[in-house]
Amino acid sequence: MLWNFKPQARAFRYVGHKDVVTSVQFSPLGNLLASASRDRTIRLWIPDKRGKSSEFKAHTAPVRSVDFSSDGQFLATASEDKSIKVWNMHRQRFLYSLYRHTHWVRCAKFSPDGRLIVSCSEDKTIKIWDTSNKQCVNNFSDSLGFANFVDFNPNGTCIASAGSDHTVKIWDIRVNKLLQHYQVHSCGVNCIAFHPLGNYLLTASSDGTIKILDLLEGRLIYTLQGHTGPVFTVSFAKSGELFASGGADAQVLLWRTNFDELNHKDLTKRNLKRLHFDPAPHLFDIYPRAPHCHEGKIETVEINPKLEVMDLQTSTPPVVDILSFDSSLTAETVFRTLPDKGEEICKHFLNPSLMSPGCSPKPLKKRTEDVSDMPSESQRSVPLAVAEALEHIMEQLNVLTQTVSILEQRLTLTEDKLKDCLENQNKLFNVIQQKS
């Protein structure tokens, strides 16, 4: 769902996935919206009233996360098929897969400069990948639990993980060292979000709370109690002034902070400027300790908006259902069609770097708003026989995908049985050694 609060509150519901939607993310310029689903597909949407989307099929199991690179040219997806896949957004095609995890991959994120990818899996490891040689260059393991979510800090020198064992950990990837370890939640941590300045960290947990950590002082400063059940996700606005949270209570809460604001354009410029020039791992990207408004405070502040903040939502906003007529990975790219001039879309939805060469952002003539602007038989550039053959090929590919998925599941069961056998064998060996 895409929420619009101006001039009046309303929501657009994009219908296209056939199962639960597990992850959504805007591209850096806001002209695209990526979504992942348990139906094993990824969709790219143009966030307007026409609901055009492209469907990507390559994973053989549910997809858990999507993430754009900072320049918007690449998309990383993580799946329960134990792989991370990277896609080219300009050509809308699959590039390569990353295989080293031995269990479901829960999350994959690009570094701010796009040269690294961090991923976390239920195999209790966090891996860092080099996008240039497509190799795993670092590995962090945990014996107690697995990470539900992982992300880079804004300057790309550290990673933070949200653990199923109720912990939040921050690692320095330059020296492979655990810097900070927080145990502030009473249930698993589902999501984290860095403030754009990198000084604060939001954590969302199944204990129903959101907590704000001061990373400079290494302590908890706020506990927020607005949701009535598990909190699944949190995300800062680009300026850092606002953040949103979503939970199992079917609520999305919008919060205002008292932190320093940051011009996100400066941050984007800084990330893009260092894309190819300075050597990894950015040893000079350490921010100096900056003064902030929480020095001198020792105790944790607990905030419950149910008691202190008035609900500003006066009525239920109208919801507009937008049905997608989509194109597959092999179909014509959706970027060839620009939004109509009369549609309520910000100008930054048009990303010249993602348009095909033959497409220019000239104003188009106003057309009636209908979603049935598919080409007629006489206007088809592809003959009908070829189109039918392509559809048949797609059906066969779907059958192959399902077959591979079944094989993956059987392989996973076999691996689990082997693990159990090895564990039992080790236990018997230890017992025999103790008796002898």
Side-chain angles (χ1 to χ4, degrees):
M1 294 186 72
L2 183 62
W3 297 84
N4 186 6
F5 298 103
K6 295 179 181 179
Q8 70 272 1
R10 39 178 195 164
F12 298 96
R13 180 163 44 207
Y14 291 86
V15 181
H17 283 295
K18 299 176 180 64
D19 206 333
V20 175
V21 178
T22 55
S23 176
V24 290
Q25 193 190 37
F26 273 107
S27 62
L29 293 179
N31 62 321
L32 286 175
L33 183 66
S35 61
S37 171
R38 295 195 65 85
D39 65 6
R40 306 176 187 175
T41 67
I42 303 103
R43 280 182 180 263
L44 278 183
W45 307 82
I46 295 180
D48 59 17
K49 293 187 290 185
R50 297 166 67 185
K52 289 193 173 182
S53 70
S54 287
E55 186 180 57
F56 292 178
K57 292 181 180 179
H59 286 290
T60 59
V63 188
R64 299 298 293 262
S65 85
V66 289
D67 185 61
F68 283 98
S69 59
S70 59
D71 59 2
Q73 298 298 317
F74 301 98
L75 183 75
T77 59
S79 169
E80 291 179 9
D81 62 9
K82 308 175 192 174
S83 74
I84 301 112
K85 297 189 186 296
V86 178
W87 309 77
N88 183 300
M89 291 293 95
H90 180 67
R91 299 182 182 275
Q92 284 211 7
R93 65 183 180 90
F94 167 72
L95 290 179
Y96 56 87
S97 294
L98 302 173
Y99 290 103
R100 283 287 293 276
H101 284 293
T102 59
H103 212 301
W104 296 349
V105 186
R106 288 210 160 229
C107 180
K109 294 281 186 179
F110 278 103
S111 61
D113 61 7
R115 292 191 294 193
L116 299 174
I117 292 175
V118 63
S119 62
C120 63
S121 167
E122 291 191 19
D123 62 9
K124 299 183 180 180
T125 66
I126 296 171
K127 298 185 185 296
I128 296 178
W129 311 80
D130 189 328
T131 58
S132 59
N133 59 19
K134 302 164 186 61
Q135 297 295 317
C136 179
V137 295
N138 216 332
N139 186 78
F140 302 97
S141 59
D142 198 331
S143 59
L144 296 177
F146 57 84
N148 288 315
F149 192 91
V150 68
D151 201 3
F152 283 93
N153 69 335
N155 59 8
T157 58
C158 299
I159 59 171
S161 65
S164 63
D165 57 353
H166 313 173
T167 64
V168 176
K169 295 179 180 179
I170 298 177
W171 309 77
D172 190 326
I173 63 173
R174 299 164 297 181
V175 292
N176 300 335
K177 182 181 178 182
L178 179 64
L179 292 182
Q180 294 178 344
H181 181 195
Y182 296 93
Q183 290 181 306
V184 293
H185 287 286
S186 59
C187 287
V189 187
N190 299 316
C191 188
I192 53 173
F194 279 98
H195 186 273
L197 285 173
N199 296 344
Y200 306 101
L201 185 72
L202 283 175
T203 64
S205 169
S206 293
D207 63 12
T209 66
I210 303 161
K211 294 185 185 284
I212 303 178
L213 305 173
D214 187 327
L215 302 181
L216 295 181
E217 293 188 355
R219 66 184 181 89
L220 171 68
I221 54 174
Y222 288 125
T223 298
L224 309 177
Q225 296 181 336
H227 292 279
T228 56
V231 188
F232 291 139
T233 183
V234 285
S235 180
F236 269 109
K238 288 183 178 180
S239 65
E241 181 187 7
L242 302 171
F243 69 89
S245 62
D249 56 1
Q251 287 193 108
V252 176
L253 301 182
L254 191 62
W255 307 77
R256 186 180 299 278
T257 73
N258 58 354
F259 304 146
D260 297 329
E261 291 186 42
L262 180 71
N263 188 339
H264 68 272
K265 292 182 180 178
D266 295 338
L267 184 67
T268 304
K269 284 180 183 177
R270 183 167 65 222
N271 289 335
L272 292 177
K273 193 178 293 183
R274 67 180 193 207
L275 273 178
H276 304 291
F277 300 103
D278 60 334
H282 315 311
L283 292 174
F284 302 106
D285 276 354
I286 305 172
Y287 289 117
R289 179 180 172 125
H292 53 89
C293 56
H294 300 294
E295 289 181 353
K297 289 187 178 181
I298 300 175
E299 73 283 355
T300 297
V301 179
E302 188 164 327
I303 299 174
N304 188 342
K306 296 290 183 185
L307 302 176
E308 301 174 10
V309 180
M310 185 173 62
D311 191 354
L312 300 180
Q313 182 177 319
T314 56
S315 61
T316 303
V319 176
V320 180
D321 278 343
I322 299 176
L323 300 176
S324 169
F325 62 89
D326 55 277
S327 56
S328 67
L329 181 61
T330 56
E332 285 293 313
T333 173
V334 296
F335 303 123
R336 294 184 184 276
T337 305
L338 296 178
D340 291 339
K341 187 179 178 182
E343 292 179 351
E344 299 174 1
I345 308 168
C346 298
K347 59 184 178 180
H348 60 263
F349 280 168
L350 306 180
N351 183 0
S353 66
L354 292 180
M355 294 179 191
S356 55
C359 183
S360 60
K362 294 179 182 179
L364 302 180
K365 292 182 180 180
K366 179 70 178 176
R367 293 179 296 178
T368 57
E369 277 193 8
D370 59 57
V371 296
S372 57
D373 54 351
M374 298 295 286
S376 62
E377 288 293 328
S378 60
Q379 295 173 329
R380 286 182 187 270
S381 57
V382 181
L384 185 58
V386 176
E388 289 177 352
L390 288 173
E391 287 179 7
H392 178 69
I393 292 171
M394 288 298 294
E395 289 174 2
Q396 296 299 315
L397 286 174
N398 285 336
V399 172
L400 286 173
T401 301
Q402 292 173 6
T403 306
V404 172
S405 177
I406 292 169
L407 291 173
E408 285 268 2
Q409 292 172 5
R410 289 181 178 175
L411 184 61
T412 301
L413 290 172
T414 306
E415 288 175 350
D416 292 340
K417 287 180 180 178
L418 283 173
K419 281 183 182 178
D420 292 339
C421 290
L422 289 173
E423 288 176 1
N424 292 331
Q425 194 174 12
N426 287 332
K427 287 177 183 177
L428 288 172
F429 182 71
N430 291 333
V431 169
I432 293 169
Q433 274 190 333
Q434 288 174 0
K435 286 182 178 179
S436 60

